Amino acid sequence: MGWFKQIGTGPGDGAGPRVATVRRTADGKTAGAAVVLGVDTVLTCAHVVNDALGRSMFEPRPPRLDELFVEVKGARKTEQYPARVAHWIEPRARDGGAVRDGDGEWHGDLAVLRIDAPPGWAPAPDRRTAMVPGQRVRAWHGSGHSATFADLRVAALDGPIGYLDGEGTGMAVGPGYSGGPLWSEQDGAVVGLVAAHFMPPCDAGGAPLPHSPQHLIRRSWGIPWQRIEAELRPLGVLLGEDAEDSEDIDRDEPAFGMLVNAVRNALPSPYSLGDTARQLALACDVGQGSPVSPPPIEEFVTFLLRHPRALAAFSEILRPRNPAATDRLLVAGRLSPTPLLLSPRERHRLHQLLRKVDRPVLERIPEAVREAAKRVTVPADGGTLDVLLDKLEELSGDGYSDDGEVRVPALLRVVEYVAVLCPPPRQAELRLWSDGVRVRLGIPEAALRERRSDAQDWSRVLRGRAPRKRVLVQVARAGRGRHRLRIWCDEGTGLRQVSADSSASYAASRAARELLRVLEALTPSAQDGGRPLVEVLVDRADLNLPVDEWAAQVPGEVVPGVLGVEFPLVVHCPELLRRHERFLPDWRERWRQLDSGETLVVSDPTQDPHQIYYELMGRLDTVRVSVDVPPGPRDAIVQICLAVGIPVVVWDRGRDTPSHVTKHMSDVATRELPDGVRIYRANARGTRAPEFPGRPVLAWADADRTVPRLHLSEPQESA
């Protein structure tokens, strides 16, 4: 072992593990148990979190911003803290599908919870090691009471599942044990988590059958620690656990040599090196070696390159003493992919501040990210706020600073954009945090102030943003290949009908020319280069009418004038909403959540369309549905989605499945879909057509904008 030691990885002391309690938010009763994972995190099963929040047991979606409560027994007393999901690995069947009620086994099912508590809130994490057959292990109920222990033996391992057989006397594993540690006394370590138990057989009414020697007795199963490591390590959750193991550091890499020189120049004496090493170990929550002798410089640098937040913590310690040396240190550190942006203290403080932010603002963080990070590629939201922040931390700075100056990192820019959405007290706290990180990184004050000014400009645009201009056109069939049109303009002051004769019928090319005539008459819009939104109003039988492909084929015209290529064109079916008015409140609420709501992907062609109705009734935060099934079930599913108030539905009117359209559009933010679909259509007709083989349709029902009362054809059957 080296000078820097991971706390909690020594031999067991026989006292057993630290069992945390996950409480139900509705009644405060025990939902399950958890294991202390890190300085501000615990690990439990995802189904325990679902139970605590009153969700269905195997709900696969992460809870996002919902909070629950975790109890941890400290040295003197038990404390209860609010927590939220930081990382989520949903329960999934062995084939990767959804877990159904009645399933006895499943994969995944892990949740890392971040605890809102002061530093030193809990004992150090317990040592962890692999589960092997034959181990004697002990489990506790989530309440943590000493008398609830159940003694078990690891009977067998089957990949990600460890089967556990209980002893014939004492407590048996049952409800409330899930998520708790499986403790091996012999190894002095946690070897896995309790996941589920097999109950004795019951009759048709649910009553236990009389005991028989043939019944399965006291068998349960758990998640082996080696499987937990395999699931969590790609997420970065376990980074830094092996800080004392330096075998995999390449001492020939440029960062190592430059850091050795930078540390030697910054800390020339053994006293300064030892004092700083002890401060660094404390900041990173790792154990330290000799209280007298310092670590070798090479080991000090190895720790900086192994622990992802050590370099930031070191620069935090060094900046007040030696700014120039800190700048050289940070330059060297950028040559390595390991160091992350924030120190442990800065990261903890940011999470504390965001917990004080009002939920409506938190729900707009994806919108703030898209606006603040336009010049870098922001990965798709991973499902939780913590995952999004972790991804932002890995991104580089923008391109505004002059050569030689440190750029403003993407995370700091996003925090500035979130701050302008907050009331003054929260805004000031977030800006003070940004200023502190800026000073530590050596970023010029003017650079951050410019980003702050950009954020303020954005907030003023939000407050005074004029609605996008749009042209609405009702399209009704008038015989083979001909259509009647009624056209309205909406330039932000209300609807204005511009079509004079609604009885005339047009072929597709002539109809396109009529629409282009109206579109050209609109004053330029400030958004999207002056392109207004074209909203095609149809009855449900014409949702697949290819209006976007209509071209104004005028002889001698230089450009073909394809409507869906030049303009963002969407379809809207007021008929379905009008005939199912009980869903109007749901529609408005879903539209309100447009920037933060969930997306449902429907890709099982054998699924009964009515099952989509049931699923959407249980997912009122779903704002967008992507339908990727063949035409028959596709059209029924689309109509159900629109009828129950889903404001945004995407599908491919072609016949190929899986669809390139739905896959491609999954990376486009919901609010940006009209423009994203227009660009796709343009690519599909140009030289890149083989790369864009789809025919996208976007149904778009804006609850903030009115539509005219239409006289639509009566449907043949109900949706």
Side-chain angles (χ1 to χ4, degrees), residues 3 15 33 101 150 171 183 262 315 343 345 374 470 490 495 519 547 612 643 656:
W3 198 93
D101 289 337
M171 299 290 283
W183 175 259
S315 67
S343 70
R345 184 195 64 81
K374 284 181 175 179
R470 60 180 183 153
D490 183 0
L495 293 172
L519 288 161
V547 180
I612 305 301
D656 292 337

Side-chain angles (χ1 to χ4, degrees), residues 284-319:
C284 295
D285 199 53
V286 300
Q288 52 186 278
S290 168
V292 178
S293 301
I297 286 181
E298 289 77 8
E299 185 182 344
F300 188 99
V301 170
T302 295
F303 180 67
L304 296 181
L305 293 177
R306 280 202 56 83
H307 191 296
R309 302 196 182 277
L311 187 68
F314 181 32
S315 67
E316 198 171 38
I317 297 166
L318 188 62
R319 172 69 67 181

Side-chain angles (χ1 to χ4, degrees), residues 348-426:
H348 177 71
R349 179 59 177 159
L350 176 60
H351 284 286
Q352 279 188 321
L353 293 175
L354 290 176
R355 277 201 172 92
K356 298 178 183 179
V357 171
D358 294 336
R359 180 158 183 155
V361 174
L362 291 179
E363 290 176 343
R364 297 188 68 180
I365 285 181
E367 181 184 356
V369 169
R370 290 194 298 273
E371 187 65 28
K374 284 181 175 179
R375 293 167 182 82
V376 292
T377 301
V378 181
D381 186 349
T384 71
L385 178 60
D386 290 64
V387 169
L388 179 59
L389 294 175
D390 289 347
K391 289 179 178 178
L392 285 168
E393 208 176 338
E394 299 171 2
L395 298 179
S396 61
D398 59 30
Y400 279 89
S401 297
D402 296 333
D403 290 343
E405 290 184 345
V406 183
R407 295 176 174 180
V408 180
L411 179 60
L412 263 63
R413 301 203 310 280
V414 169
V415 169
E416 290 294 333
Y417 277 71
V418 173
V420 298
L421 300 175
C422 297
R426 297 286 172 263

